[in-house]
Every structure is written in structure tokens, then in C-alpha cells.
Amino acid sequence: MTSLTEIARSTSVNPAAPIPFDNTYTRLPEAFYQRVKPATAPAPTLVRVNDALARQLRIDPQFLKSPEGVAILSGNVIASGSEPIAQAYAGHQFGDFVPQLGDGRAILLGEVVDVAGKRYDLQLKGSGRTRFSRGGDGRAAVGPVIREYIVSEAMAALGIPTTRSLAAVLTGESVMRERVLPGGVLTRIASSHLRVGTFQYFAARGDVENLRVLADYAIERHYPEARSAEDPYRAFYDAVVAALARLAARWMLIGFIHGVLNTDNTAIAGETIDYGPCAFMDVYHPDKVFSSIDQFGRYAFANQPAVIKWNLTRFAETLLPLMADGADKAIEAANASIRLFNDHFNQAYLTGLRQKLGLASEIEGDRELGSDLLALMAENQADFTLTFRAMCEAAADTKGNAGVRTLFANPPAFDEWATRWRERLSLEERPAEARRTAMRAANPMFIPRNHRIAAAIQEAEAGHFDKFHELVEVLAHPYDDQPEYAHYGKPPAPGEEVLQTFCGT
Ligand code: AMP
Ligand code: MG
């Protein structure tokens, strides 16, 4: 296998270009993508550039804000070194297999290598039609663009693996949805856009040769340690299982509902990708669903680990022809890997749960203690984020109970549980103040609440972005109190609740 750096170096990388593209995906066979130019935007204007992320990617944020930079971010100009493509992929959507999906409203401009030497995709989302657009217009309305910007950057600040947002622009063109809306383009940064669906695309065509090329590429890019394993494809698969199990655990610990966990939205790198009808819960309930298209609750909060596991089983099926000799052995190997999912998930979840509860030691029954709290929260319509945040104070001082119990419809329900919690805390050796500090780093004050996103979108649709900018800035420091922005930590007032969220289309 040739290293990706060698592949990129064998072509004409210009490190002095404003965006130092260093492409490898376009060196793969033609079957992997369509070369395509972004559509032009009649009157592009900048909404926001992510300065810190730009610097990390060795791009001058001032360049991105210049007319030349905005021309690139809107698709009007193809930057030097960019080789725009739409990637091919397939996927199970709500359980049904679609052999061809692909980038229908996204165009990969190329890859960049960050200051730490890590490779990222730089993709425009909403920049016109491609061969994979089917009936769609290839466009994005401003609402989904800023929604993805807000939530993906909030996830990054919360420490959850995710794609990022480098920039948002308006195109100056209207898009037709239920209403006429301003069009926008998001610049998305991802460790890669390889999905379970990318593997399914070749598997469905019986194209084992390209499947192997893809797997080798994914190993090089994301799990190079698998290369030297006895069965590299098995080791690769195990690594993806572990990464996605840990990711699902993080979602469950933060109250995040992805909303469209199709196999084409399940990234091999283990990042959260595709912020369509996603939502954070205010009031906790395991069955919460926000997506307007998820009629049967397939992607409800509590189903997420099982769904990721289902997607990983579909992924295993694509790799069977590459794994150890003989189908039986391969199926056995894949089954063993899937069993690993539960171990990885449970370990990551329990570790995170203990952090949320303020437990530094490990004692049998900790998981039940946490589950019982969640069950009480569901019964008592307690706000997920505020309950855990208020517990940081309660853990340091019994008087702090007052701040938590009022979040429960029936406050004595919390008192009863808190007696058990305090007994458990009395077995801890860690000093109370250190516990409080650790809990505050595990239980955020600020999450992207639906009603705040909805208000920012409403304003953006009218051409104003103050709420959007402020929300992004507050969410960049989710674990700090930021007293001047305390209102952003509040749940929706009656009448402000958002009951449904919609896809990015
Ligand atoms: P998603 O539900 O956002 O993961 O998208 C599923 C598929 O629909 C992908 O192949 C997208 O490229 C495609 N798609 C979504 N919106 C559009 C659009 N406005 N125009 C063209 N294709 C789209
Ligand atoms: Mg998608």
C-alpha cells in the first residue's frame, strides 16, 4: 500500500496556495466519484468564517473573508489545487436499501492537512446539482446551513467527534422549499466522508476489486495500525466498531438525537455527520423523536446504539469478501466483532455516566444508580442538561439538592434518589471540590437548544445573523457558566418548545 502522503506528494501540491490542497481521493478509480463543477452563485455574501478552525487547517481566515475567499466558499471560483468531485455512495434509508445515493448537493473541493498533520476533507454543501442529485436541486436553504453550523460546532466544543463547519455564505439566490428561502452554502470539514454506504455502493455492485481499494484507502487514512494485523480487514472492522460504539455512547450521555441514522450517514471515521433533523433533548425521555420523517421512531433517542449496531452489521456484510478465507470464517469473525460493540459501548457509557454522577471510583451498581435517575427524570419531566449541571453543585454540598429537586415535577422523587447517591458519594476518596470541578467538565451548562436554533433560523431567513453569531459564540464554551448568557441555558418557555425538526433538504 502506498501512503496517502506519498500519493498526494506525487501530484502537484502547492503549499503556498491560499488553501493548500493535498488531494488523494481523486487518485482513486473513476468509479468512486464524478468530477463536477460547483454551480455559480449570483451574489455571494459571507455569513461566518470559523477563524480558529481555518488556522488549524493552515488557511488564513482573512483570506476566506476576502472577496476571493467568498468566491471560493460559494462555488464561484475553483481554488488553485482544488479538484472538485461528487462522491458515490449507497445506503439503507430507514431500513430500505438504495443502491445509489451519492453527493447530490455536496461537492468535495479536496483535502487539506492540518497543523498536526491530520488530513481533512473540505466540502461545499448546497453548491449545485451533480450526477447523484436525482430529483433534488442540489441547493441548501439558509436554515439548514446555519443549523448544521451551530450544532456541529457545539458538538466539537462538547468534545464529541464530529464533522466541523469552516464557513457559511449566502448565494444571493432563492431556493424553493415549502416557501421561497435564501440559499446558502456550508463549508464542511470532515476526517473523511467515507460512510458505511460508500462500502455498500461497491458491495451492491459485486465490485470486490474497488471494495478492496476503498478498504485499503480507509485503513491508510483512518486506522493505519490495522495494516500490520494478521487480518487487516478484520482489524479495520473492529476499529470502526469500537469508534462508532464510543460515539453512540457520547450521544447517549449528552442527550443528542441524530434523527437520520441511515447507513449513508454513518461515518467510518467515527464522527457525527449530517445534521439534518437532529436535536438535543430539553426534557428527558428515552423515546424522544423530533424528526418529521421518522414516523415510527426508528431513530428515537434510546434506539441509537442498536441502530448503529445494525448499521455495523450491514458494514460487516460488505467486508465479508475481503475478510479471512472462506465465507463461514468471515461470518464468524464478523459476529465476534459485533459482540465487541456491546463491550465497547457499555464501557464508554459507564465511564461517562460515572463522570456525570461524580464517581471517580468504580463500584457495582453504579449503572443502576444512573439508570434509576434517568427513569425518575423521565417520570418527572426533568430537563436533561440542567439536572446534571445542577448536580455538580449538589455533589459538593447537600444544600445543593434544592437546585436539582425543583427540576422534578415531584421534587421528593429526587430526594429519595439523592439519599442513595449521597451514600455512594460517601465511599469516594476524591475531595468534594475536585469532584465538583470534574463534574462541571462532564455536564455542560449550554447545549444547542431547539428553540434557540429556531429563533436564529427565523432571523437568518430575514437576512439577519446576530442571534446565530451569539449562539455560536456561547456554545463554543459549553462548560463555562457565562452568567451574562444564562438565558441560553434555560429550557424553552411554554409555547417556545420545538416539537418537530426537518431534514436539511
Ligand atoms: P441526507 O438525508 O441529507 O443524508 O441526504 C440523502 C441523499 O439525498 C443524499 O444522496 C443527498 O445528496 C441527497 N439530497 C438531499 N438533499 C438534496 C438536494 N436538495 N438536492 C439533491 N440531492 C439531495
Ligand atoms: Mg447524508
Side-chain angles (χ1 to χ4, degrees):
M1 283 182 216
T2 321
S3 86
L4 298 184
T5 315
E6 280 165 49
I7 293 172
R9 296 290 167 219
S10 70
T11 64
S12 52
V13 177
N14 176 6
I19 303 179
F21 284 106
D22 187 271
N23 305 329
T24 58
Y25 208 77
T26 49
R27 306 292 165 264
L28 298 179
E30 299 264 311
F32 283 69
Y33 51 82
Q34 175 204 12
R35 290 191 190 266
V36 61
K37 281 203 178 103
T40 53
T45 50
L46 182 67
V47 174
R48 191 176 179 91
V49 163
N50 188 336
D51 287 29
L53 182 58
R55 280 189 220 103
Q56 182 196 326
L57 299 173
R58 301 188 297 181
I59 304 168
D60 178 3
Q62 294 314 320
F63 168 76
L64 294 180
K65 292 172 192 174
S66 71
E68 211 186 331
V70 175
I72 292 167
L73 298 173
S74 63
N76 272 355
V77 167
I78 296 172
S80 156
S82 160
E83 300 168 284
I85 55 170
Q87 291 177 310
Y89 56 85
H92 275 91
Q93 299 191 305
F94 290 91
D96 294 326
F97 185 63
V98 184
Q100 179 162 313
L101 289 166
D103 288 335
R105 64 164 156 189
I107 293 178
L108 181 67
L109 292 185
E111 299 145 39
V112 288
V113 176
D114 81 352
V115 289
K118 186 169 161 16
R119 178 174 300 276
Y120 288 94
D121 277 6
L122 200 148
Q123 188 200 61
L124 299 184
K125 202 170 165 187
S127 58
R129 287 178 53 79
T130 73
R131 192 172 86 201
F132 307 108
S133 297
R134 294 171 292 165
D137 61 2
R139 304 290 190 173
V142 65
V145 167
I146 71 163
R147 186 182 180 80
E148 173 152 354
Y149 196 120
I150 294 165
V151 187
S152 65
E153 285 305 302
M155 291 287 269
L158 288 163
I160 297 170
T162 178
T163 63
R164 305 282 309 265
S165 296
L166 179 64
V169 299
L170 292 176
T171 59
E173 201 167 57
S174 298
V175 296
M176 268 304 286
R177 297 295 181 258
E178 280 104 74
R179 290 176 292 139
V180 177
L181 293 165
V185 177
L186 180 84
T187 304
R188 176 160 74 181
I189 304 298
S191 286
S192 85
H193 285 85
L194 299 178
R195 311 141 190 271
V196 168
T198 319
F199 287 80
Q200 290 181 298
Y201 181 83
F202 294 107
R205 285 160 180 74
D207 186 347
V208 178
E209 198 178 318
N210 277 325
L211 196 64
R212 191 180 301 277
V213 171
L214 176 63
D216 290 346
Y217 180 86
I219 289 172
E220 277 297 314
R221 190 156 171 179
H222 298 301
Y223 305 99
E225 62 287 354
R227 204 190 315 149
S228 48
E230 194 185 323
D231 181 347
Y233 302 112
R234 170 78 198 278
F236 163 54
Y237 181 70
D238 286 354
V240 177
V241 169
L244 284 169
R246 284 194 292 264
L247 180 66
R250 299 300 302 272
W251 295 340
M252 303 311 286
L253 291 161
I254 207 82
F256 175 76
I257 306 168
H258 181 286
V260 243
L261 280 181
N262 294 331
T263 57
D264 52 302
N265 293 336
T266 304
I268 297 304
E271 288 176 344
T272 314
I273 189 170
D274 240 322
Y275 293 90
C278 64
F280 277 74
M281 286 188 284
D282 297 303
V283 165
Y284 173 72
H285 201 286
D287 300 337
K288 271 268 157 74
V289 177
F290 288 95
S291 169
S292 61
I293 56 170
D294 192 1
Q295 288 168 356
F296 303 108
R298 180 181 173 92
Y299 300 141
F301 179 71
N303 284 356
Q304 296 183 117
V307 164
I308 288 290
K309 198 166 146 178
W310 190 88
N311 291 354
L312 283 165
T313 310
R314 304 288 78 77
F315 181 41
E317 287 161 2
T318 71
L319 293 178
L320 292 184
L322 305 182
M323 282 188 193
D325 313 327
D328 286 349
K329 224 175 137 203
I331 289 170
E332 195 186 301
N335 281 338
S337 302
I338 270 296
R339 279 193 294 274
L340 269 181
F341 177 92
N342 292 351
D343 295 343
H344 286 296
F345 176 83
N346 287 329
Q347 198 190 6
Y349 183 75
L350 186 52
T351 301
L353 190 63
R354 285 198 173 105
Q355 285 164 355
K356 289 183 86 68
L357 296 173
L359 309 177
S361 60
E362 298 177 7
I363 292 182
E364 200 138 320
D366 290 347
R367 182 150 185 172
E368 289 64 35
L369 186 67
S371 309
D372 290 349
L373 173 64
L374 288 169
L376 282 177
M377 285 163 64
E379 258 169 56
N380 286 276
Q381 291 103 53
D383 185 90
F384 183 84
T385 306
L386 287 186
T387 299
F388 284 106
R389 185 70 177 185
M391 279 170 57
C392 305
E393 305 310 314
D397 179 355
T398 8
K399 285 199 234 71
N401 263 13
V404 194
R405 68 196 303 280
T406 53
L407 298 167
F408 285 66
N410 174 35
F414 176 75
D415 299 337
E416 221 171 287
W417 180 85
T419 309
R420 280 171 62 202
W421 181 44
R422 285 194 192 288
E423 269 166 36
R424 174 63 184 83
L425 288 178
S426 70
L427 305 176
E428 289 282 305
E429 280 171 23
R430 183 164 62 175
E433 190 46 40
R435 175 186 314 132
R436 176 176 174 271
T437 306
M439 284 179 78
R440 284 166 57 85
N443 296 308
M445 179 71 230
F446 299 102
I447 49 148
R449 292 190 184 264
N450 268 324
H451 65 297
R452 292 281 171 190
I453 299 174
I457 290 177
Q458 198 178 17
E459 204 189 65
E461 286 173 349
H464 305 292
F465 293 90
D466 290 351
K467 284 185 177 157
F468 163 66
H469 292 304
E470 193 166 87
L471 192 51
V472 170
E473 279 153 32
V474 172
L475 293 172
H477 308 283
Y479 298 103
D480 297 349
D481 280 331
Q482 307 186 65
E484 66 280 31
Y485 296 115
H487 48 290
Y488 280 98
K490 297 244 158 70
E496 274 184 339
E497 295 107 326
V498 174
L499 303 175
Q500 257 195 345
T501 51
F502 299 88
C503 256
T505 36

